[in-house]
Amino acid sequence: MYKAQMLDAVIKHLRLATMDPAIREPFGLVYDGAVGINRGRFAWVGASRDAPPSRRVIDGRGRLASPALVDCHTHLVFAGDRAAEFEMRRRGAVYADIAKAGGGILSTVKATRSSTRNEIIAASLPRLRALIASGAATVEIKSGYGLTIEDEMKLLDAARELGRIAGVRVRTTLLGAHALPPEYAHDRAAYVRLVCEQMLPQAALRGLADAVDAFCETIGFTADETAAIFNAAAKAGLRVKLHAEQLSNQHGAALAAKFHALSADHLEHLDEAGAAAMAAANVVAVLLPGAYFTLNETTKPPVDLLRRHRVKIALATDLNPGTSPVLNAAMIMPMAATMFGLTAEECLAGMTREGARALGLDEETGIIRPGLAADIALWPLKEPGELAYWLGVAPDALFVGGEMRFG
Ligand SMILES: [Zn+2]
């Protein structure tokens, strides 16, 4: 054996949930499995007894291993929080009262605008670290609390810097069309033009955004406004995603499909035509149990409809200060199992393989397969199904691109 062929590391004796559809077992399971890592990528996957030689051998001690989690929908960068407002609601205040008292999304906008890039990084880093501690190696972060050109760029730049500081893969999404800023309350069209003609091209030019998103809803932006933003994104060469059908059916999913969106997210009010359009255009459905839980919603996303049309289902935290203060990516799996009726395998696929697909990263992460980034989580568990059972379990080791983040 030539030394040059030695791998950097092998982790042996794992209950290996590869999530590779090519391995015809539930969860792509390899029982006494091993992975070989070279130059940050999986170089080999198979049975422990067949593992190739390597410079370093790690004993997994029979623990469960899965692809590191992918949190494909967060609003992680912001200043301030809305904990007091949450308590006001518990005490009977309605949203209009809260907004009048200076609360709601605009309170986060105000706090975010008055914070520097470094203050936002300092405020947001503990949230990113919490997601990493729960197993996430890839996190999408949206802007959307700045709502001016400079404040949105500040958020995207802060998100990128957070990824560098924490040593995880961050994908940034421009969400200028999150809410109508107060200074444009009487001129919606002017704000949409600002997003399309200035904000979006600047984000593209400065290389700060990987995708563009919008909140298509009665309290957000109309389907026509969303289409204008998607056209501008296409012109700038950026893929799109959409907050669609969360509180009502605005036919956003069909619009997302028309623009070959990476994903349509929320989808509680999705109809059959929307599901069929998503399937035809390979748009991933991103379900967000944290928002459903926090808002105490009763209309569930139509999981059976998605299954029938073979729409890929991803899951995410939707981490945000108003409607989903969720700091744990692993906990989304039992929440989706209990509240949405997803199977354990759908849950783990949703937080790994399909989450990666929703970010256009399906050739990079989300599966334990030779050639992909060596992003792997080791859990103090035996069976992959337990990930959709325990609320609050954390991995005891996490590798990102072959580098151990903790363990
Ligand atoms: Zn969201």
Side-chain angles (χ1 to χ4, degrees):
M1 183 63 60
Y2 296 103
K3 209 151 195 172
Q5 290 176 324
M6 294 268 280
L7 300 182
D8 290 338
V10 163
I11 314 176
K12 283 188 182 178
H13 305 304
L14 298 168
R15 178 73 48 108
L16 196 57
T18 64
M19 301 314 285
D20 187 347
I23 296 177
R24 298 208 159 273
E25 288 283 334
F27 302 92
L29 200 66
V30 181
Y31 281 91
D32 184 4
V35 297
I37 297 171
N38 214 29
R39 295 168 182 242
R41 300 205 161 248
F42 292 120
W44 182 90
V45 176
S48 289
R49 62 175 180 278
D50 303 328
S54 80
R55 278 181 276 277
R56 188 173 167 214
V57 178
I58 299 165
D59 185 357
R61 303 195 307 275
R63 281 173 296 178
L64 173 69
S66 76
L69 304 185
V70 177
D71 192 352
C72 68
H73 181 143
T74 85
H75 306 252
L76 185 144
V77 285
F78 57 86
D81 68 63
R82 307 244 289 276
E85 169 189 321
F86 185 79
E87 179 62 11
M88 276 174 78
R89 265 192 273 166
R90 298 285 80 72
R91 291 169 183 273
V94 296
Y95 189 82
D97 300 335
I98 293 168
K100 244 186 263 164
I105 186 169
L106 293 178
S107 73
T108 303
V109 171
K110 209 171 145 199
T112 301
R113 283 179 176 179
S114 63
S115 300
T116 65
R117 167 186 181 275
N118 286 349
E119 285 167 346
I120 287 167
I121 289 170
S124 305
L125 186 58
R127 294 191 280 267
L128 180 58
R129 290 211 199 282
L131 292 181
I132 296 166
S134 70
T138 302
V139 178
E140 186 256 16
I141 302 178
K142 301 176 197 296
S143 65
Y145 295 112
L147 309 181
T148 69
I149 294 170
E150 273 320 302
D151 288 311
E152 288 291 296
M153 300 307 125
K154 178 175 78 181
L155 289 175
L156 293 171
D157 187 36
R160 287 271 168 93
E161 184 61 20
L162 282 162
R164 285 188 284 269
I165 293 169
V168 290
R169 192 179 294 102
V170 163
R171 280 291 173 278
T172 52
T173 303
L174 174 69
L175 180 56
H178 191 194
L180 193 65
E183 60 274 20
Y184 283 91
H186 302 291
D187 197 353
R188 305 180 57 84
Y191 184 67
V192 174
R193 274 201 308 277
L194 178 80
V195 172
C196 293
E197 294 169 13
Q198 296 184 57
M199 193 183 283
L200 202 156
Q202 276 221 32
L205 193 69
R206 289 161 70 171
L208 288 174
D210 298 304
V212 171
D213 194 347
F215 183 36
C216 184
E217 191 54 70
T218 50
I219 58 165
F221 293 84
T222 67
D224 284 347
E225 290 164 346
T226 302
I229 290 158
F230 282 1
N231 272 316
K235 242 170 78 186
L238 291 172
R239 297 289 300 273
V240 296
K241 308 170 77 67
L242 188 64
H243 285 68
E245 272 72 287
Q246 181 187 6
L247 307 169
S248 64
N249 185 0
Q250 302 291 313
H251 307 287
L255 182 68
K258 192 175 150 199
F259 283 87
H260 301 282
L262 286 163
S263 68
D265 304 32
H266 283 292
L267 301 174
E268 278 81 347
H269 294 264
L270 178 72
D271 63 13
E272 175 126 32
M278 286 176 67
N282 288 319
V283 179
V284 177
V286 179
L287 307 185
L288 304 166
Y292 177 91
F293 168 81
T294 304
L295 293 170
N296 212 1
E297 291 282 349
T298 50
T299 303
K300 299 178 187 212
V303 168
D304 282 335
L305 195 59
L306 294 171
R307 286 180 181 138
R308 207 160 358 103
H309 287 274
R310 298 178 187 277
V311 177
K312 307 277 198 237
I313 300 174
L315 298 170
T317 60
D318 194 17
L319 166 48
N320 78 71
T323 63
S324 190
V326 174
L327 294 170
N328 188 313
M331 198 185 287
I332 290 301
M333 292 184 274
M335 289 174 80
T338 296
M339 297 192 299
F340 297 165
L342 263 60
T343 66
E345 192 172 3
E346 286 172 329
C347 288
L348 184 54
M351 283 309 297
T352 56
R353 187 181 69 219
E354 307 311 338
R357 195 190 309 274
L359 297 176
L361 291 174
D362 38 326
E363 296 297 321
E364 182 64 18
T365 188
I367 299 177
I368 296 174
R369 176 202 279 163
L372 271 63
D375 298 345
I376 185 168
L378 272 52
W379 305 87
L381 303 171
K382 284 286 173 209
E383 299 296 335
E386 289 183 73
L387 284 168
Y389 168 70
W390 298 106
L391 273 151
V393 69
D396 42 31
L398 181 75
F399 293 80
V400 185
E403 302 271 334
M404 192 187 263
R405 282 289 157 270
F406 59 85

